[in-house]
Amino acid sequence: MGAVATVVIRNPGRRNAMTPAMWRRLPVLLDGLESDPAVRVVVLTGADGTFCAGADLGDLDELLAAGDGSIAVAAEERLATFAKPTVAAVRGACVGGGCQLAVACDLRIAAADARFGVPPARLGLVYPAPTTHRLARLIGPAAAKHLLFTGELVAAERALRIGLVDEVLPDADLAARVDGLTGVIAERSQLSVAAAKEIVDGRADEDRMAWWHGQVRVSGEAREGVAAFHERRAPRFGWTPPAAP
């Protein structure tokens, strides 16, 4: 596993649709990865050339009964608040619950064959509020409404234009690009990366910002970074989150 851990969505025969057991399992996996100091980045992807075709509709009643308190929303929220960087590597279908999970990641890198869709209007469903708000923040209200109103699948290139994904590559190049990107992130100061994620996501209040600046002062990360720059060598960053009191 090393510094980069990969979580694979796998449901053979159902295009990796998420079952209730899978929704419940994801937060448990993320808890373990977040507490593992060796893990610096997490990649979320799907097995066998498909990211995720959504929620398994055979278990629809359980999801409908819970509304915004569903296990799907809980899994999405846990992914979105995961303390370390997350990258969705997307091939094939990324629809409904699959798109929900991809949007909850920090970055999305797609193969040219990827297709994205948000289908509640085709099924008579109401998309959860946290999920809808996250989508609108990412791609803007108009693009979000288009996806939600029509339920249409959009190709990877259009997803790139509207900001739903960050990069699109030929399928053969996707793995190498994700490996290279996550490798770079893993080499950077994890103090800087973790703080940036909290700030961008709007979760760092004044007290938390004071804590982050305190970590810079006591960690030695900045001194190491500047020394490495002057010495023309790779920095040896060693910060890890302090244990909770």
Side-chain angles (χ1 to χ4, degrees):
M1 181 167 58
V4 180
T6 300
V7 175
V8 180
I9 304 169
R10 189 185 306 274
N11 184 0
R14 301 300 295 268
R15 295 194 304 158
N16 299 333
M18 294 286 290
T19 65
M22 293 165 71
W23 287 119
R24 292 189 180 95
R25 178 62 177 155
L26 182 58
V28 177
L29 285 173
L30 293 172
D31 287 347
L33 294 170
E34 188 170 270
S35 64
D36 185 343
V39 174
R40 294 187 163 200
V41 187
V42 168
V43 175
L44 180 67
T45 194
D48 303 323
T50 296
F51 186 77
C52 174
D56 191 324
L57 296 181
D59 300 295
L60 183 61
D61 287 345
E62 180 173 352
L63 296 176
L64 290 179
D68 282 5
S70 73
I71 52 176
V73 174
E76 173 195 357
E77 290 298 308
R78 182 64 188 93
L79 180 58
T81 58
F82 188 72
K84 302 172 184 181
T86 53
V87 179
V90 182
R91 291 183 176 89
C94 182
V95 181
C99 193
Q100 183 176 348
L101 292 174
V103 169
C105 290
D106 296 311
L107 301 172
R108 286 150 296 281
I109 312 297
D113 74 340
R115 297 293 182 270
F116 299 83
V118 184
R122 298 173 63 181
L123 301 169
L125 304 175
V126 174
Y127 223 36
T131 306
T132 303
H133 291 153
R134 183 169 290 111
L135 179 67
R137 287 194 300 270
L138 179 66
I139 64 176
K145 288 175 182 176
H146 186 275
L147 292 179
L148 289 159
F149 291 176
T150 67
E152 292 177 346
L153 295 181
V154 300
E157 287 298 334
R158 182 172 177 187
L160 180 64
R161 289 197 300 273
I162 65 176
L164 186 57
V165 300
D166 301 290
E167 299 180 34
V168 174
L169 301 101
D171 181 75
D173 299 335
L174 182 65
R177 174 55 182 150
V178 171
D179 287 348
L181 176 64
T182 55
V184 167
I185 295 171
E187 291 174 354
R188 300 303 189 226
S189 168
Q190 297 308 292
L191 190 161
S192 300
V193 169
K197 176 167 179 170
E198 276 196 15
I199 296 165
V200 171
D201 289 349
R203 293 185 285 114
D205 59 16
E206 185 175 344
D207 289 342
R208 186 63 171 174
M209 288 304 305
W211 185 87
W212 281 119
H213 289 307
Q215 287 294 296
V216 172
R217 290 191 296 272
V218 303
S219 66
E221 293 281 278
R223 287 187 290 275
E224 168 60 17
V226 171
F229 175 80
H230 287 304
E231 296 167 14
R232 299 184 180 181
R233 61 171 173 82
R236 296 181 290 270
F237 293 122
W239 181 88
T240 55

